[in-house]
Coordinates of all heavy atoms in Angstrom, one line a residue:
M73 N 167.7 205.9 78.3 CA 166.8 207.1 78.4 C 165.5 206.8 77.7 O 165.4 206.3 76.6 CB 167.5 208.3 77.7 CG 166.8 209.5 77.7 SD 167.7 210.9 77.0 CE 166.4 211.9 76.5
I74 N 164.5 207.2 78.4 CA 163.1 207.0 77.9 C 162.6 208.2 77.1 O 162.8 209.4 77.5 CB 162.1 206.8 79.1 CG1 162.5 205.5 79.8 CG2 160.7 206.7 78.6 CD1 161.7 205.0 81.0
T75 N 162.0 207.9 76.0 CA 161.5 209.0 75.1 C 160.1 208.7 74.8 O 159.6 207.5 74.8 CB 162.3 209.0 73.7 OG1 162.3 207.7 73.1 CG2 163.8 209.4 74.0
L76 N 159.3 209.7 74.5 CA 157.8 209.6 74.2 C 157.6 209.9 72.7 O 158.2 210.8 72.2 CB 157.0 210.5 75.1 CG 157.3 210.5 76.6 CD1 156.3 211.4 77.3 CD2 157.0 209.1 77.1
H77 N 156.8 209.1 72.1 CA 156.5 209.3 70.7 C 155.0 208.9 70.4 O 154.5 208.0 71.1 CB 157.3 208.3 69.8 CG 158.8 208.6 70.0 ND1 159.5 209.6 69.3 CD2 159.7 207.9 70.7 CE1 160.7 209.6 69.7 NE2 160.9 208.5 70.5
P78 N 154.3 209.6 69.5 CA 152.9 209.3 69.2 C 152.9 207.8 68.6 O 153.9 207.4 68.0 CB 152.6 210.3 68.1 CG 153.5 211.4 68.3 CD 154.8 210.8 68.8
I79 N 151.8 207.2 68.9 CA 151.5 205.9 68.4 C 151.5 205.9 66.9 O 150.7 206.7 66.3 CB 150.2 205.3 69.0 CG1 150.3 205.2 70.5 CG2 149.9 203.9 68.4 CD1 149.0 204.9 71.2
T80 N 152.2 204.9 66.2 CA 152.1 204.8 64.8 C 151.7 203.3 64.5 O 151.7 202.4 65.3 CB 153.4 205.1 64.1 OG1 154.3 204.1 64.5 CG2 153.9 206.5 64.6
E81 N 151.4 203.1 63.2 CA 151.0 201.8 62.8 C 152.2 200.8 63.0 O 152.0 199.6 63.2 CB 150.5 201.8 61.3 CG 149.2 202.4 61.2 CD 148.6 202.4 59.8 OE1 148.3 201.4 59.3 OE2 148.5 203.5 59.2
N82 N 153.4 201.3 62.9 CA 154.6 200.5 63.0 C 154.7 200.0 64.5 O 155.5 199.1 64.7 CB 155.9 201.2 62.6 CG 155.9 201.4 61.1 OD1 155.3 200.7 60.3 ND2 156.5 202.5 60.7
D83 N 154.0 200.6 65.4 CA 154.2 200.3 66.9 C 153.2 199.2 67.3 O 153.3 198.7 68.4 CB 153.8 201.5 67.7 CG 154.8 202.7 67.5 OD1 155.9 202.5 66.9 OD2 154.4 203.8 67.9
I84 N 152.3 198.8 66.4 CA 151.2 197.8 66.8 C 151.7 196.6 67.4 O 151.2 196.1 68.5 CB 150.3 197.6 65.6 CG1 149.5 198.8 65.2 CG2 149.3 196.4 65.9 CD1 148.6 199.3 66.3
R85 N 152.7 196.0 66.8 CA 153.3 194.7 67.3 C 153.8 194.9 68.8 O 153.5 194.1 69.7 CB 154.4 194.2 66.5 CG 155.1 193.0 67.0 CD 156.0 192.3 66.1 NE 155.2 191.6 65.1 CZ 155.6 191.3 63.9 NH1 156.9 191.4 63.5 NH2 154.8 190.7 63.0
G86 N 154.5 196.0 69.1 CA 155.0 196.2 70.4 C 153.9 196.5 71.4 O 154.0 196.1 72.5
C87 N 152.9 197.3 70.9 CA 151.8 197.6 71.8 C 151.0 196.4 72.2 O 150.7 196.2 73.3 CB 150.9 198.6 71.1 SG 151.5 200.3 70.8
S88 N 150.8 195.5 71.2 CA 150.1 194.3 71.4 C 150.8 193.4 72.4 O 150.2 192.9 73.3 CB 149.9 193.6 70.1 OG 149.4 192.3 70.3
A89 N 152.1 193.3 72.2 CA 152.9 192.4 73.1 C 152.9 193.0 74.6 O 152.7 192.2 75.5 CB 154.3 192.4 72.6
L90 N 153.0 194.3 74.7 CA 153.1 194.9 76.1 C 151.7 194.7 76.8 O 151.6 194.3 77.9 CB 153.4 196.4 76.0 CG 153.5 197.1 77.3 CD1 154.6 196.6 78.2 CD2 153.7 198.6 77.0
L91 N 150.6 195.0 76.0 CA 149.3 194.9 76.6 C 149.0 193.4 77.0 O 148.5 193.1 78.1 CB 148.2 195.4 75.7 CG 148.1 197.0 75.6 CD1 147.5 197.4 74.3 CD2 147.5 197.5 76.8
A92 N 149.3 192.5 76.0 CA 149.0 191.1 76.2 C 149.8 190.5 77.4 O 149.2 189.8 78.2 CB 149.3 190.3 75.0
E93 N 151.0 190.9 77.5 CA 151.9 190.4 78.6 C 151.4 190.9 80.0 O 151.3 190.2 80.9 CB 153.3 190.9 78.4 CG 154.3 190.5 79.5 CD 155.6 191.0 79.3 OE1 156.1 191.0 78.1 OE2 156.3 191.5 80.2
N94 N 151.0 192.2 80.0 CA 150.7 192.7 81.3 C 149.2 192.4 81.7 O 148.9 192.5 82.9 CB 150.9 194.2 81.3 CG 152.4 194.5 81.5 OD1 152.8 194.7 82.6 ND2 153.1 194.6 80.4
F95 N 148.4 192.1 80.8 CA 147.0 191.7 81.1 C 146.7 190.3 80.9 O 145.6 189.9 81.0 CB 146.0 192.6 80.4 CG 146.0 194.1 80.8 CD1 146.6 195.1 80.0 CD2 145.5 194.4 82.0 CE1 146.7 196.3 80.4 CE2 145.5 195.8 82.4 CZ 146.1 196.7 81.6
N96 N 147.7 189.5 80.6 CA 147.6 188.0 80.4 C 146.5 187.7 79.4 O 145.7 186.8 79.6 CB 147.4 187.3 81.7 CG 148.5 187.5 82.6 OD1 149.7 187.3 82.2 ND2 148.3 187.7 83.9
S97 N 146.5 188.4 78.2 CA 145.4 188.2 77.3 C 145.9 188.5 75.9 O 145.7 189.7 75.4 CB 144.2 188.9 77.6 OG 143.2 188.6 76.6
H98 N 146.4 187.5 75.1 CA 146.7 187.8 73.7 C 145.5 187.9 72.9 O 145.5 188.5 71.8 CB 147.7 186.7 73.2 CG 149.0 186.7 73.9 ND1 150.0 187.6 73.5 CD2 149.5 186.1 75.0 CE1 151.0 187.4 74.3 NE2 150.8 186.5 75.2
K99 N 144.4 187.2 73.4 CA 143.2 187.3 72.7 C 142.6 188.7 72.5 O 142.1 189.0 71.4 CB 142.2 186.3 73.4 CG 140.8 186.3 72.8 CD 140.0 185.2 73.6 CE 138.7 185.8 73.9 NZ 137.9 184.9 74.7
F100 N 142.6 189.4 73.6 CA 142.0 190.7 73.5 C 142.8 191.9 73.0 O 142.4 192.9 72.7 CB 141.5 191.1 74.9 CG 140.4 190.3 75.4 CD1 140.6 189.4 76.5 CD2 139.2 190.3 74.8 CE1 139.5 188.6 76.9 CE2 138.1 189.5 75.2 CZ 138.3 188.6 76.3
F101 N 144.1 191.6 72.9 CA 145.0 192.7 72.4 C 145.9 192.2 71.2 O 147.0 192.5 71.1 CB 146.0 193.1 73.6 CG 145.3 193.7 74.7 CD1 145.2 192.9 75.9 CD2 144.6 194.9 74.7 CE1 144.5 193.5 77.0 CE2 144.0 195.4 75.7 CZ 143.9 194.7 76.9
S102 N 145.2 191.5 70.3 CA 145.9 191.0 69.0 C 146.3 192.3 68.2 O 145.7 193.3 68.3 CB 145.0 190.1 68.3 OG 144.0 190.9 67.7
E103 N 147.3 192.1 67.4 CA 147.7 193.1 66.4 C 146.6 193.5 65.5 O 146.4 194.7 65.3 CB 148.9 192.6 65.6 CG 150.2 192.4 66.4 CD 151.3 191.9 65.6 OE1 151.5 192.2 64.4 OE2 152.1 191.0 66.2
G104 N 145.8 192.6 65.0 CA 144.7 192.9 64.2 C 143.7 193.7 64.8 O 143.1 194.7 64.2
Y105 N 143.3 193.4 66.0 CA 142.3 194.2 66.8 C 142.9 195.6 67.1 O 142.1 196.6 66.8 CB 142.0 193.5 68.2 CG 141.2 194.4 69.1 CD1 139.9 194.7 68.8 CD2 141.8 195.0 70.2 CE1 139.1 195.5 69.6 CE2 141.0 195.8 71.0 CZ 139.7 196.1 70.7 OH 138.9 196.9 71.5
L106 N 144.1 195.7 67.5 CA 144.6 197.1 67.8 C 144.7 197.9 66.5 O 144.4 199.1 66.5 CB 146.0 197.0 68.5 CG 146.0 196.5 69.9 CD1 147.4 196.5 70.5 CD2 145.0 197.3 70.8
N107 N 145.1 197.3 65.4 CA 145.2 198.1 64.1 C 143.8 198.5 63.8 O 143.6 199.7 63.3 CB 145.8 197.2 63.0 CG 146.0 197.9 61.8 OD1 146.7 198.9 61.8 ND2 145.4 197.5 60.7
W108 N 142.8 197.7 64.0 CA 141.4 198.1 63.6 C 141.0 199.3 64.5 O 140.5 200.3 64.1 CB 140.4 196.9 63.8 CG 139.0 197.3 63.7 CD1 138.3 197.5 62.6 CD2 138.2 197.5 64.8 NE1 137.0 197.8 62.9 CE2 136.9 197.9 64.3 CE3 138.4 197.4 66.2 CZ2 135.9 198.1 65.1 CZ3 137.3 197.7 67.0 CH2 136.0 198.0 66.5
L109 N 141.2 199.1 65.8 CA 140.8 200.0 66.8 C 141.4 201.4 66.6 O 140.8 202.4 66.7 CB 141.0 199.5 68.2 CG 140.6 200.4 69.4 CD1 139.0 200.5 69.5 CD2 141.1 199.8 70.7
Y110 N 142.7 201.4 66.4 CA 143.5 202.6 66.4 C 143.6 203.2 65.0 O 143.7 204.5 64.9 CB 145.0 202.3 66.8 CG 145.1 201.9 68.3 CD1 146.4 201.6 68.7 CD2 144.1 201.9 69.2 CE1 146.7 201.2 70.0 CE2 144.3 201.6 70.5 CZ 145.6 201.2 70.9 OH 145.9 200.9 72.2
F111 N 143.5 202.5 63.9 CA 143.7 203.1 62.6 C 142.6 202.9 61.6 O 142.7 203.5 60.5 CB 145.1 202.6 62.0 CG 146.2 203.0 62.9 CD1 146.8 202.1 63.8 CD2 146.7 204.3 62.9 CE1 147.9 202.6 64.6 CE2 147.7 204.8 63.7 CZ 148.3 203.9 64.5
Q112 N 141.6 202.1 61.9 CA 140.5 202.0 61.0 C 139.2 202.5 61.6 O 138.1 202.3 61.0 CB 140.4 200.5 60.6 CG 141.6 200.0 59.9 CD 141.5 198.5 59.6 OE1 140.5 197.9 59.6 NE2 142.7 197.9 59.3
N113 N 139.2 203.2 62.6 CA 138.1 203.9 63.2 C 137.5 204.9 62.3 O 138.2 205.8 61.9 CB 138.5 204.5 64.5 CG 137.4 205.2 65.3 OD1 136.3 205.4 64.7 ND2 137.6 205.5 66.5
P114 N 136.2 204.8 61.9 CA 135.7 205.8 61.0 C 135.6 207.2 61.5 O 135.6 208.2 60.7 CB 134.3 205.2 60.7 CG 134.0 204.3 61.7 CD 135.3 203.8 62.3
L115 N 135.8 207.4 62.8 CA 135.8 208.7 63.4 C 137.2 209.3 63.5 O 137.3 210.5 63.8 CB 135.1 208.7 64.8 CG 133.7 208.2 64.8 CD1 133.2 208.2 66.2 CD2 132.8 209.1 63.9
G116 N 138.2 208.5 63.2 CA 139.5 209.0 63.2 C 140.5 208.1 63.8 O 140.1 207.1 64.4
K117 N 141.8 208.5 63.7 CA 142.8 207.6 64.2 C 143.1 207.9 65.7 O 142.7 208.8 66.3 CB 144.1 207.9 63.5 CG 144.0 207.5 62.0 CD 145.3 207.7 61.3 CE 145.1 207.3 59.8 NZ 146.3 207.5 59.0
V118 N 143.8 206.9 66.3 CA 144.2 206.9 67.7 C 144.9 208.2 68.0 O 145.7 208.8 67.2 CB 145.1 205.7 68.0 CG1 146.4 205.8 67.3 CG2 145.3 205.6 69.5
L119 N 144.8 208.7 69.2 CA 145.6 209.8 69.8 C 146.2 209.2 71.1 O 145.5 208.9 72.0 CB 144.7 211.0 70.1 CG 145.4 212.2 70.8 CD1 146.6 212.7 69.9 CD2 144.5 213.3 71.1
G120 N 147.5 209.0 71.0 CA 148.1 208.5 72.2 C 149.6 208.4 72.0 O 150.1 208.8 70.9
Y121 N 150.3 207.9 73.0 CA 151.8 207.9 73.0 C 152.3 206.6 73.6 O 151.7 206.0 74.4 CB 152.3 209.1 73.9 CG 152.1 210.4 73.2 CD1 150.9 211.1 73.3 CD2 153.1 211.0 72.4 CE1 150.7 212.3 72.7 CE2 152.9 212.2 71.8 CZ 151.7 212.9 71.9 OH 151.5 214.1 71.3
N122 N 153.5 206.3 73.2 CA 154.3 205.2 73.7 C 155.5 205.8 74.3 O 156.1 206.7 73.8 CB 154.7 204.2 72.6 CG 153.5 203.5 72.1 OD1 152.7 203.0 72.8 ND2 153.5 203.3 70.8
A123 N 156.0 205.2 75.4 CA 157.2 205.5 76.0 C 158.2 204.4 75.6 O 157.9 203.2 75.7 CB 157.1 205.5 77.6
W124 N 159.3 204.8 75.1 CA 160.3 203.9 74.6 C 161.6 203.9 75.4 O 162.0 205.0 75.8 CB 160.7 204.3 73.2 CG 159.6 204.0 72.1 CD1 158.6 204.9 71.9 CD2 159.5 202.9 71.2 NE1 157.8 204.3 70.9 CE2 158.4 203.1 70.4 CE3 160.3 201.8 71.0 CZ2 158.0 202.3 69.5 CZ3 159.9 200.9 70.0 CH2 158.8 201.2 69.3
N125 N 162.2 202.8 75.7 CA 163.5 202.7 76.2 C 164.3 201.9 75.1 O 164.1 200.7 75.0 CB 163.5 201.9 77.5 CG 164.9 201.9 78.2 OD1 165.8 202.6 77.7 ND2 165.1 201.1 79.2
D126 N 165.1 202.6 74.5 CA 165.8 202.1 73.3 C 164.8 201.7 72.2 O 164.1 202.5 71.7 CB 166.8 201.0 73.7 CG 167.9 200.7 72.6 OD1 168.2 201.5 71.8 OD2 168.4 199.5 72.6
R127 N 164.8 200.4 72.0 CA 163.9 199.9 70.9 C 162.7 199.1 71.5 O 162.0 198.3 70.8 CB 164.6 199.0 70.0 CG 165.7 199.7 69.2 CD 166.4 198.8 68.3 NE 167.5 199.5 67.6 CZ 168.0 199.1 66.5 NH1 167.7 198.0 66.0 NH2 169.0 199.8 66.0
E128 N 162.4 199.3 72.8 CA 161.3 198.6 73.5 C 160.3 199.6 74.0 O 160.6 200.6 74.6 CB 161.9 197.8 74.7 CG 160.8 197.1 75.4 CD 161.3 196.4 76.7 OE1 162.5 196.8 77.1 OE2 160.6 195.6 77.3
I129 N 159.0 199.3 73.7 CA 157.9 200.1 74.3 C 157.7 199.6 75.7 O 157.5 198.5 76.0 CB 156.6 199.9 73.5 CG1 156.7 200.4 72.0 CG2 155.4 200.6 74.2 CD1 155.6 200.1 71.1
V130 N 157.8 200.6 76.6 CA 157.7 200.3 78.0 C 156.5 200.9 78.7 O 156.2 200.4 79.8 CB 159.0 200.7 78.8 CG1 160.2 200.0 78.3 CG2 159.2 202.2 78.7
A131 N 155.8 201.7 78.0 CA 154.5 202.2 78.5 C 153.7 202.7 77.3 O 154.2 203.1 76.2 CB 154.7 203.3 79.5
H132 N 152.4 202.6 77.4 CA 151.4 202.9 76.3 C 150.2 203.5 76.9 O 149.7 203.1 77.9 CB 151.1 201.5 75.7 CG 150.1 201.6 74.6 ND1 150.3 202.0 73.3 CD2 148.8 201.2 74.7 CE1 149.2 201.9 72.6 NE2 148.2 201.4 73.4
Y133 N 149.7 204.6 76.2 CA 148.4 205.2 76.5 C 147.7 205.6 75.3 O 148.3 206.3 74.4 CB 148.7 206.4 77.4 CG 147.4 207.1 77.8 CD1 146.5 206.6 78.8 CD2 147.0 208.3 77.2 CE1 145.4 207.2 79.1 CE2 145.8 208.9 77.5 CZ 145.0 208.3 78.5 OH 143.8 208.9 78.8
A134 N 146.5 205.2 75.1 CA 145.7 205.4 73.9 C 144.3 205.9 74.1 O 143.6 205.4 75.0 CB 145.7 204.1 73.0
T135 N 143.9 206.9 73.3 CA 142.5 207.3 73.3 C 142.0 207.2 71.8 O 142.8 207.3 70.9 CB 142.4 208.8 73.7 OG1 143.0 209.7 72.9 CG2 142.9 208.9 75.2
I136 N 140.7 207.0 71.6 CA 140.2 206.9 70.3 C 139.0 208.0 70.2 O 138.3 208.2 71.2 CB 139.7 205.5 69.9 CG1 138.6 205.0 70.9 CG2 140.8 204.6 69.8 CD1 137.9 203.8 70.5
P137 N 138.8 208.5 69.0 CA 137.7 209.4 68.8 C 136.4 208.8 68.9 O 136.2 207.6 68.4 CB 137.9 210.0 67.4 CG 139.3 209.5 66.9 CD 139.6 208.4 67.8
I138 N 135.4 209.4 69.6 CA 134.0 208.9 69.6 C 133.1 210.1 69.4 O 133.5 211.2 69.5 CB 133.7 208.1 70.9 CG1 133.9 209.1 72.1 CG2 134.6 206.9 71.0 CD1 133.3 208.5 73.5
R139 N 131.8 209.8 69.3 CA 130.8 210.9 69.4 C 130.0 210.7 70.6 O 129.6 209.6 71.0 CB 129.9 210.8 68.1 CG 130.6 211.2 66.9 CD 129.6 211.5 65.8 NE 130.4 211.9 64.6 CZ 130.4 211.2 63.5 NH1 129.7 210.1 63.3 NH2 131.1 211.7 62.4
T140 N 129.7 211.8 71.3 CA 128.9 211.8 72.5 C 127.7 212.7 72.3 O 127.8 213.7 71.6 CB 129.7 212.2 73.8 OG1 130.3 213.4 73.5 CG2 130.8 211.1 74.0
L141 N 126.7 212.5 73.1 CA 125.6 213.4 73.1 C 125.6 214.2 74.3 O 125.6 213.7 75.5 CB 124.3 212.6 73.0 CG 123.0 213.4 72.9 CD1 123.0 214.2 71.5 CD2 121.8 212.4 72.9
R142 N 125.7 215.6 74.2 CA 125.8 216.4 75.4 C 124.8 217.6 75.2 O 124.9 218.3 74.2 CB 127.2 217.0 75.6 CG 127.4 217.9 76.7 CD 128.8 218.2 76.9 NE 128.9 219.2 77.9 CZ 129.8 220.2 77.9 NH1 130.8 220.2 77.0 NH2 129.9 221.0 78.9
N143 N 123.9 217.7 76.1 CA 122.8 218.8 76.0 C 122.1 218.8 74.7 O 121.9 219.8 74.1 CB 123.4 220.2 76.3 CG 124.0 220.3 77.7 OD1 123.5 219.7 78.6 ND2 125.1 221.0 77.8
G144 N 121.8 217.6 74.2 CA 121.1 217.4 72.9 C 121.9 217.6 71.7 O 121.4 217.6 70.6
K145 N 123.2 217.8 71.8 CA 124.1 218.0 70.7 C 125.2 216.9 70.6 O 125.7 216.5 71.6 CB 124.8 219.4 70.8 CG 123.9 220.6 70.6 CD 124.8 221.8 70.6 CE 123.9 223.1 70.5 NZ 124.6 224.3 70.5
T146 N 125.5 216.5 69.4 CA 126.5 215.5 69.2 C 127.8 216.3 69.2 O 128.0 217.2 68.5 CB 126.3 214.8 67.9 OG1 125.0 214.1 68.0 CG2 127.4 213.7 67.7
E147 N 128.8 215.7 70.0 CA 130.1 216.4 70.0 C 131.2 215.3 69.8 O 131.0 214.1 70.1 CB 130.3 217.0 71.4 CG 129.4 218.2 71.7 CD 129.7 218.8 73.0 OE1 130.4 218.2 73.9 OE2 129.3 219.9 73.3
K148 N 132.4 215.7 69.3 CA 133.5 214.8 69.3 C 134.1 214.7 70.6 O 134.2 215.7 71.3 CB 134.5 215.4 68.2 CG 134.0 215.3 66.8 CD 135.1 215.8 65.9 CE 134.7 215.8 64.4 NZ 135.7 216.3 63.5
S149 N 134.6 213.6 71.0 CA 135.2 213.3 72.2 C 136.3 212.3 72.0 O 136.4 211.7 71.0 CB 134.2 212.8 73.3 OG 133.1 213.7 73.5
L150 N 137.1 212.1 73.1 CA 138.1 211.0 73.1 C 137.7 210.0 74.2 O 137.4 210.5 75.3 CB 139.5 211.6 73.4 CG 140.1 212.4 72.2 CD1 141.4 213.0 72.6 CD2 140.3 211.5 71.0
L151 N 137.9 208.8 73.9 CA 137.7 207.7 74.9 C 139.0 207.1 75.2 O 139.7 206.6 74.3 CB 136.7 206.7 74.4 CG 136.4 205.5 75.2 CD1 135.7 205.9 76.5 CD2 135.6 204.4 74.4
S152 N 139.4 207.1 76.5 CA 140.6 206.4 76.9 C 140.4 204.9 76.8 O 139.4 204.4 77.5 CB 141.0 206.8 78.3 OG 142.1 206.1 78.7
V153 N 141.2 204.2 76.0 CA 140.9 202.7 75.9 C 142.0 201.8 76.4 O 141.7 200.8 77.0 CB 140.6 202.4 74.4 CG1 139.3 202.9 74.0 CG2 141.7 202.8 73.5
N154 N 143.2 202.2 76.3 CA 144.3 201.3 76.7 C 145.4 202.1 77.4 O 145.9 203.1 76.9 CB 144.9 200.5 75.6 CG 143.9 199.5 75.0 OD1 143.2 198.8 75.7 ND2 143.9 199.4 73.6
S155 N 145.8 201.5 78.5 CA 146.9 202.2 79.3 C 147.7 201.1 80.0 O 147.1 200.2 80.7 CB 146.4 203.1 80.3 OG 147.4 203.6 81.2
V156 N 149.0 201.0 79.9 CA 149.8 200.0 80.5 C 151.2 200.5 80.6 O 151.7 201.2 79.8 CB 149.7 198.7 79.7 CG1 150.3 198.8 78.3 CG2 150.3 197.6 80.5
T157 N 151.8 200.1 81.7 CA 153.3 200.3 81.9 C 153.9 199.0 82.3 O 153.5 198.3 83.2 CB 153.5 201.4 83.0 OG1 152.9 202.6 82.7 CG2 155.0 201.6 83.2
N158 N 155.1 198.7 81.7 CA 155.9 197.5 82.0 C 156.2 197.6 83.5 O 156.5 198.6 84.0 CB 157.1 197.5 81.1 CG 158.0 196.4 81.4 OD1 158.5 196.2 82.5 ND2 158.3 195.6 80.4
S159 N 156.1 196.4 84.1 CA 156.3 196.4 85.6 C 157.7 196.9 86.0 O 157.8 197.4 87.1 CB 156.1 195.0 86.2 OG 157.0 194.1 85.5
N160 N 158.7 196.8 85.2 CA 160.0 197.4 85.5 C 160.1 198.9 85.4 O 161.1 199.4 85.8 CB 161.0 196.7 84.6 CG 161.2 195.2 84.8 OD1 161.1 194.7 85.9 ND2 161.4 194.5 83.7
Y161 N 159.1 199.5 84.9 CA 159.1 201.0 84.7 C 158.0 201.7 85.5 O 157.8 202.9 85.3 CB 159.0 201.3 83.2 CG 160.2 200.8 82.5 CD1 160.2 199.5 82.0 CD2 161.3 201.6 82.3 CE1 161.3 199.0 81.3 CE2 162.4 201.1 81.6 CZ 162.4 199.9 81.1 OH 163.6 199.4 80.5
R162 N 157.3 201.0 86.4 CA 156.2 201.7 87.1 C 156.8 202.6 88.2 O 157.9 202.5 88.5 CB 155.3 200.6 87.7 CG 154.6 199.8 86.6 CD 153.7 198.8 87.2 NE 153.1 198.1 86.0 CZ 152.6 196.8 86.0 NH1 152.7 196.2 87.2 NH2 152.1 196.3 85.0
K163 N 155.9 203.5 88.6 CA 156.2 204.4 89.7 C 157.3 205.4 89.2 O 158.1 206.0 90.1 CB 156.7 203.7 91.0 CG 155.7 202.6 91.5 CD 155.1 203.0 92.7 CE 154.3 201.9 93.3 NZ 153.0 202.2 93.5
Q164 N 157.3 205.7 88.0 CA 158.3 206.7 87.4 C 157.5 207.9 86.8 O 158.1 208.7 86.1 CB 159.2 206.1 86.4 CG 160.1 205.0 86.9 CD 161.0 204.4 85.9 OE1 161.3 205.1 84.9 NE2 161.4 203.2 86.1
G165 N 156.2 207.9 86.9 CA 155.4 209.0 86.3 C 155.1 208.9 84.9 O 154.7 209.9 84.2
L166 N 155.3 207.7 84.3 CA 155.1 207.6 82.8 C 153.7 207.8 82.4 O 153.4 208.4 81.4 CB 155.7 206.3 82.3 CG 157.2 206.1 82.3 CD1 157.6 204.7 82.0 CD2 157.8 207.1 81.4
F167 N 152.7 207.3 83.2 CA 151.3 207.5 82.9 C 151.0 208.9 82.7 O 150.3 209.3 81.7 CB 150.4 206.8 83.9 CG 148.9 207.1 83.6 CD1 148.2 206.4 82.7 CD2 148.3 208.1 84.3 CE1 146.9 206.7 82.4 CE2 147.0 208.4 84.1 CZ 146.3 207.7 83.1
N168 N 151.4 209.7 83.7 CA 151.0 211.1 83.6 C 151.7 211.8 82.4 O 151.1 212.7 81.8 CB 151.5 211.8 84.9 CG 150.6 211.5 86.1 OD1 149.5 211.1 86.0 ND2 151.2 211.6 87.3
E169 N 152.9 211.5 82.1 CA 153.6 212.0 80.9 C 152.9 211.7 79.7 O 152.7 212.5 78.7 CB 155.0 211.6 80.9 CG 155.9 212.3 81.9 CD 157.4 212.0 81.7 OE1 157.9 212.2 80.6 OE2 158.0 211.4 82.7
L170 N 152.4 210.4 79.5 CA 151.8 209.9 78.3 C 150.4 210.5 78.2 O 150.0 211.0 77.1 CB 151.7 208.4 78.3 CG 153.0 207.6 78.2 CD1 152.7 206.1 78.5 CD2 153.6 207.8 76.8
A171 N 149.7 210.6 79.3 CA 148.3 211.1 79.2 C 148.4 212.7 79.0 O 147.5 213.2 78.3 CB 147.6 210.8 80.5

């Protein structure tokens, strides 16, 4: 059974592995980079979810806080940065549930 949970610092290893495997790039999705991006952002922590099947992350969706300029005013916004679903779990609506 698949369950959804907010992203935590304890999930970084699984998120890194899922992203690296599906995008063929361990360089761009290292644990250090994701920890910095998700939990050391001076504007705030990641807002996102992981889909779990038992003890494995099978889908991931992350947004990070940013500041944008709109009509001359600075506003807080969210930037969607990483989204991935394990190939064995695609076409099940997980992206929509996570987002």
Side-chain angles (χ1 to χ4, degrees):
M73 179 176 157
I74 295 181
T75 58
L76 307 182
H77 300 281
I79 299 167
T80 70
E81 290 182 68
N82 293 331
D83 299 341
I84 292 297
R85 177 172 284 163
C87 295
S88 173
L90 180 65
L91 286 159
E93 178 183 320
N94 282 272
F95 291 106
N96 296 318
S97 179
H98 293 278
K99 176 175 133 182
F100 292 114
F101 298 108
S102 71
E103 291 176 39
Y105 170 71
L106 291 180
N107 188 57
W108 170 81
L109 182 66
Y110 290 176
F111 296 102
Q112 296 176 16
N113 181 343
L115 298 178
K117 294 182 181 179
V118 65
L119 176 59
Y121 289 86
N122 290 318
W124 291 81
N125 184 8
D126 194 27
R127 295 181 183 198
E128 177 186 15
I129 297 173
V130 297
H132 173 77
Y133 180 73
T135 62
I136 58 169
I138 62 169
R139 289 196 179 114
T140 56
L141 186 62
R142 182 175 171 209
N143 297 327
K145 292 184 180 181
T146 301
E147 297 181 342
K148 291 181 180 180
S149 300
L150 289 172
L151 177 65
S152 177
V153 289
N154 293 320
S155 172
V156 64
T157 300
N158 178 300
S159 60
N160 295 324
Y161 295 86
R162 292 182 185 153
K163 307 248 185 234
Q164 296 181 29
L166 289 174
F167 173 79
N168 289 337
E169 287 188 56
L170 292 171

